[in-house]
Amino acid sequence: MIVVSRNRQSRPVLGVRALRRVAEVAFKAAGRGPGAVGVAFVDDEQMTVFHSDFLHKPTTTDVLSFPGAADGVADDDPDYR
């Protein structure tokens, strides 16, 4: 199980161990084997930028999620790492 976490907030968030456990439970519930998941914790300002860029909605939101790449290789766009 690979979990990549980026904290772009000033306050502490879930640690990698907790995120890994959540990912394991989610993959198991979905009937899938081990996989990879990336998580970025951002503030409202950055989330508004992402929400606008990807869904063309100029507001903040709690969560944005995206399907993984079909070939299993993550997108390397440096603007969204």
Side-chain angles (χ1 to χ4, degrees):
M1 174 68 54
I2 299 169
V3 175
V4 177
S5 173
R6 288 186 169 59
N7 181 11
R8 295 182 177 179
Q9 295 180 322
S10 59
R11 60 188 157 100
V13 295
L14 293 174
V16 172
R17 177 182 278 165
L19 287 171
R20 180 168 298 163
R21 182 66 185 135
V22 169
E24 288 170 352
V25 170
F27 277 106
K28 185 175 181 178
R32 298 183 181 236
V37 63
V39 179
F41 295 94
V42 299
D43 59 20
D44 281 341
E45 183 179 350
Q46 183 64 59
M47 183 59 93
T48 300
V49 171
F50 289 158
H51 202 200
S52 179
D53 286 354
F54 293 109
L55 298 176
H56 311 292
K57 296 181 180 180
T59 59
T60 191
T61 187
D62 292 332
V63 175
L64 285 175
S65 63
F66 305 94
D71 61 4
V73 178
D75 185 357
D76 279 339
D77 186 334
D79 291 334
Y80 300 103
R81 282 195 255 166

